[in-house]
Amino acid sequence: MRVWSIANQKGGVGKTTSVVTLGGLLGQRGHRVLLVDLDPHGSLSSYFKLDPDSLEHSMYQLFFNNNCKNRDYIGQVIRPTSLRNVHLLPAATSLATLERQVSGQEGMGLVLSRSLAQVWDEYDYALLDTPPILGVLMVNALAACQQLVVPTQTEHLALKGLERMVHTLKMVMRSQRRELPYLIVPTLFDRRTLASVTTLKEMRRIYRDKLSPEPIPVDTRLRDASQLGLFPHQLEDESRGVRAYRHLLSLLDNEIEKANHG
């Protein structure tokens, strides 16, 4: 299984859209995909018409249930989506209380890694949707993943969030004593606005080789797909947004190949 975390310490940058669209495109290729919602807001779960306020089984239970090492229990948590080979590990709003409840407990940064180990051979990819704050959920996501994708809105204020995220990543890599490849993805790009164009130029100046060369454009079809609970390619396979994410997926594939032959 390949595990990708989609993360940024700023909200509203397109993390959930990126998880859903990339996951759907991987599913379209025939891969077995597990989407994991680690955000107490439950945007990914809500995308697929689940209610994070009323879920009986969710990521929250995996942090406390003694059976979390049991494949049968994880099977109760995983839900289907509109694609046969793409499944969802949903979030509950109770995740918001997790930080306080697990404070001081050992091993809580590896709960997700242990959970994914139970289904390692059943999926080709796991894509993790993360909360916009550094805490135990973000630590779990960074500890479990092999590739980090950092969606960043092309507006000036988003650059600060990106700076914090890169700082956090470097801090985590030092503590874990390992390199974690990351790719910054400009999102919500509108070439008609000076703010988008200027911010993209600034991102290219600062981050150069760590930046995806093609930004994800503003595309109302992505929003339409969200309202319908569909993967964007199911609604319109050749929309601007889907084409941009397909290009991003090819870029990530190339990064993996380079790492494997490095």
Side-chain angles (χ1 to χ4, degrees):
M1 184 196 293
R2 293 173 178 169
V3 184
W4 298 348
S5 286
I6 288 73
N8 194 320
Q9 287 178 257
K10 184 181 184 304
V13 297
K15 292 192 299 292
T16 300
T17 298
S18 297
V19 169
V20 171
T21 311
L22 290 172
L25 291 173
L26 286 167
Q28 187 184 41
R29 289 181 176 184
H31 294 298
R32 301 165 301 167
V33 184
L34 180 63
L35 309 180
V36 181
D37 193 349
L38 289 169
D39 191 343
H41 290 109
S43 296
L44 181 59
S45 304
S46 298
Y47 190 108
F48 294 105
K49 310 306 180 186
L50 297 178
D51 181 5
D53 290 326
S54 61
L55 285 174
E56 183 180 355
H57 301 289
S58 71
M59 270 306 306
Y60 177 78
Q61 278 72 34
L62 288 182
F63 275 89
F64 295 105
N65 196 300
N66 289 328
N67 294 324
C68 71
K69 297 179 181 178
N70 185 317
R71 172 63 185 87
D72 292 337
Y73 181 75
I74 295 174
Q76 295 178 41
V77 182
I78 293 173
R79 300 294 190 92
T81 70
S82 55
L83 282 179
R84 176 180 52 81
N85 51 332
V86 181
H87 296 156
L88 171 68
L89 192 54
T93 51
S94 49
L95 277 176
T97 67
L98 188 65
E99 203 74 38
R100 175 172 46 82
Q101 295 184 51
V102 303
S103 178
Q105 294 185 35
E106 291 187 8
M108 296 308 289
L110 297 175
V111 171
L112 179 59
S113 297
R114 292 195 295 267
S115 297
L116 291 178
Q118 303 307 308
V119 293
W120 196 263
D121 295 328
E122 297 177 34
Y123 295 97
D124 303 308
Y125 289 86
L127 273 59
L128 318 180
D129 192 10
T130 62
I133 56 172
L134 177 60
V136 68
L137 293 167
M138 177 77 81
V139 168
N140 267 267
L142 295 179
C145 78
Q146 302 138 354
Q147 172 75 49
L148 179 66
V149 177
V150 187
T152 305
Q153 185 177 0
T154 47
E155 62 151 21
H156 180 69
L157 291 177
L159 290 175
K160 265 298 180 191
L162 176 57
E163 184 181 327
R164 286 195 299 272
M165 188 66 227
V166 172
H167 175 75
T168 295
L169 174 61
K170 291 178 178 178
M171 183 176 63
V172 169
M173 286 194 291
R174 283 196 299 270
S175 67
Q176 294 183 355
R177 297 179 183 177
R178 68 164 181 140
E179 285 294 316
L180 179 57
Y182 68 96
L183 183 68
I184 299 163
V185 180
T187 58
L188 298 167
F189 178 69
D190 187 345
R191 66 178 67 255
R192 299 168 300 179
T193 68
L194 179 62
S196 267
V197 172
T198 303
T199 303
L200 183 59
K201 286 181 180 178
E202 186 72 357
M203 291 167 71
R204 286 171 172 164
R205 182 186 69 81
I206 298 172
Y207 296 102
R208 299 186 188 90
D209 297 340
K210 294 296 184 182
L211 192 72
S212 173
E214 182 176 330
I216 307 296
V218 171
D219 185 352
T220 58
R221 301 303 277 166
L222 296 175
R223 191 184 311 126
D224 294 341
S226 173
Q227 291 176 341
L228 295 169
L230 295 173
F231 291 94
H233 79 271
Q234 291 178 312
L235 182 64
E236 188 174 332
D237 193 48
E238 289 299 323
S239 70
R240 288 182 304 146
V242 170
R243 287 201 308 269
Y245 274 109
R246 193 172 277 122
H247 181 271
L248 171 60
L249 191 54
S250 298
L251 183 64
L252 289 167
D253 283 342
N254 291 337
E255 290 296 313
I256 291 168
E257 285 300 315
K258 283 194 291 186
N260 289 340
H261 292 91

